[in-house]
Amino acid sequence: MIANSAAKSASAPTFRVGDERLIRLTPSAAQKVTSLLVKQGRPTGVLRVAVMGGGCSGLQYKMDLQDAPANRDIVVETTGVRVVVDPKSALYVTGSELDYIDALEGGFKVKNPNAATSCSCGESVSA
């Protein structure tokens, strides 16, 4: 019996619930993410936001649509969308706002109060 319950808990991801102080989406970004999730056939999916080394300022954002949170993720429900952030990336994105601009040079834009500098393309930062 003990081994059976241990197997169940090992297969289910454990994650923490955060709030919009970590990251939030504008209504425009939420609408775009929702339409992309539906288009991909995963209407209950999540948007993963991560910060990785690279880009012209040292760190860059990576966004990906996934089916569910992974182990240790922080899940934030914002504007009807579930956003997941890993603990390391959370250090860099706290307080950020994700917007979507539907224009020629638009797309997803991150407004990050922690960024010491950012490049002209707006896709990489230094902290």
Side-chain angles (χ1 to χ4, degrees):
M1 190 73 161
I2 293 171
N4 207 7
S5 64
K8 284 182 183 178
S9 65
S11 64
T14 57
F15 55 85
R16 295 182 301 173
V17 176
D19 60 36
E20 289 185 330
R21 290 176 294 179
L22 177 60
I23 191 165
R24 70 183 194 87
L25 272 59
T26 65
S28 175
Q31 183 179 16
K32 185 64 175 179
V33 170
T34 300
S35 71
L36 290 170
L37 285 167
V38 168
K39 187 182 272 187
Q40 287 190 0
R42 44 176 123 187
T44 60
V46 298
L47 170 67
R48 173 169 301 283
V49 176
V51 176
M52 308 176 77
C56 44
S57 292
L59 297 169
Q60 63 186 359
Y61 300 107
K62 181 178 183 223
M63 289 177 248
D64 191 23
L65 300 175
Q66 298 181 341
D67 291 326
N71 280 331
R72 301 186 63 230
D73 278 343
I74 302 167
V75 180
V76 176
E77 177 96 23
T78 171
T79 324
V81 174
R82 291 187 310 156
V83 178
V84 296
V85 180
D86 65 86
K88 279 188 179 178
S89 295
L91 298 171
Y92 297 103
V93 301
T94 298
S96 294
E97 177 184 74
L98 180 62
D99 193 11
Y100 180 77
I101 301 164
D102 192 9
L104 183 60
E105 291 189 23
F108 287 101
K109 303 290 180 190
V110 179
K111 295 175 189 166
N112 188 337
N114 305 305
T117 61
S118 63
C119 63
S120 61
C121 68
E123 294 183 14
S124 68
V125 295
S126 67

